[in-house]
Amino acid sequence: MPKFILISIIVLSLQSWSSVNLEAVAQEEVPVLGYKIKVDYIRVEEEKGKKKEKKKKVQGELLAVSSDTLYVLSYDWLFAIEKASVRKVEVELSPSISGGLWVWTLVGTASTLSHGYFLFASAPVWLLVGSVTAASASSKSSKLKLREAELQFQWEDLRRFARYPQGLPPNFQPPK
């Protein structure tokens, strides 16, 4: 009997794999995203015949990195930022969970209302432990920060954080 069950499970799983039509899946449905990125850069603008350098910032998803350009998608706008104008890059490797920890601290502290007189002991414990944990989580954010001097050597390393590490596909259209 156990052999029959094992064979049945294998046959059913193989059958379910064969029923997936991979060609029917649109590119937009594939949940692949680049890392969140913040870029500080200089943009040269002309005003009344004079060239002015303006500091700019863009925040969004890192789409691709070429030898001389960084492509960032921000709110349906595609920014192509030249390597020479980039001053600082910050890549968020993992999102911070400190916000959720603060919520749990407040909910846990509020739950001590049901403790009666023990509230005077349990509420401070919730506040102390929760606030220390949340503060620790926010100070240990996982970010890669590269300044202008470091970018000269680590520019190509940014590719591993892009949605398209080999460059933008031909005929790429930003999502709308």
Side-chain angles (χ1 to χ4, degrees), residues 34-51:
Y35 285 74
K36 289 182 183 177
I37 188 169
K38 292 179 187 175
V39 182
D40 294 352
Y41 64 101
I42 301 292
R43 191 164 112 196
V44 179
E45 296 179 352
E46 282 193 42
E47 284 185 17
K48 301 176 186 174
K50 294 182 181 179
K51 290 185 179 181

Side-chain angles (χ1 to χ4, degrees), residues 23-166:
E23 294 171 2
V25 178
Q27 182 179 357
E28 296 82 28
E29 295 174 6
V30 178
V32 177
L33 298 173
Y35 285 74
K36 289 182 183 177
I37 188 169
K38 292 179 187 175
V39 182
D40 294 352
Y41 64 101
I42 301 292
R43 191 164 112 196
V44 179
E45 296 179 352
E46 282 193 42
E47 284 185 17
K48 301 176 186 174
K50 294 182 181 179
K51 290 185 179 181
K52 281 187 161 182
E53 286 188 353
K54 289 192 172 184
K55 292 182 180 180
K56 297 283 186 176
K57 291 184 182 195
V58 66
Q59 183 173 333
E61 175 192 356
L62 180 58
L63 287 182
V65 178
S66 70
S67 60
D68 63 346
T69 309
L70 201 64
Y71 297 95
V72 179
L73 181 65
S74 178
Y75 304 108
D76 297 336
W77 288 93
L78 180 61
F79 291 86
I81 305 167
E82 294 179 7
K83 180 179 180 180
S85 67
V86 175
R87 298 297 177 249
K88 182 176 139 187
V89 174
E90 188 174 300
V91 182
E92 184 178 296
L93 301 177
S94 64
S96 174
I97 60 167
S98 65
L101 293 174
W102 282 111
V103 169
W104 277 111
T105 300
L106 294 175
V107 169
T109 304
S111 73
T112 62
L113 292 172
S114 66
H115 296 179
Y117 290 114
F118 293 110
L119 163 108
F120 296 108
S122 58
V125 170
W126 266 103
L127 287 172
L128 178 69
V129 172
S131 60
V132 168
T133 305
S136 174
S138 66
S139 70
K140 293 180 182 172
S141 61
S142 247
K143 292 183 181 175
L144 172 67
K145 297 178 184 180
L146 301 174
R147 301 230 179 254
E148 188 174 2
E150 298 164 325
L151 285 170
Q152 301 299 325
F153 304 106
Q154 297 179 345
W155 183 262
E156 293 295 322
D157 291 339
L158 290 172
R159 287 179 188 265
R160 65 181 162 172
F161 303 112
R163 182 194 296 193
Y164 304 108
Q166 296 170 335

Side-chain angles (χ1 to χ4, degrees), residues 8-19:
S8 299
I9 290 172
I10 291 172
V11 169
L12 289 174
S13 64
L14 290 176
Q15 183 182 8
S16 66
W17 289 343
S18 65
S19 65

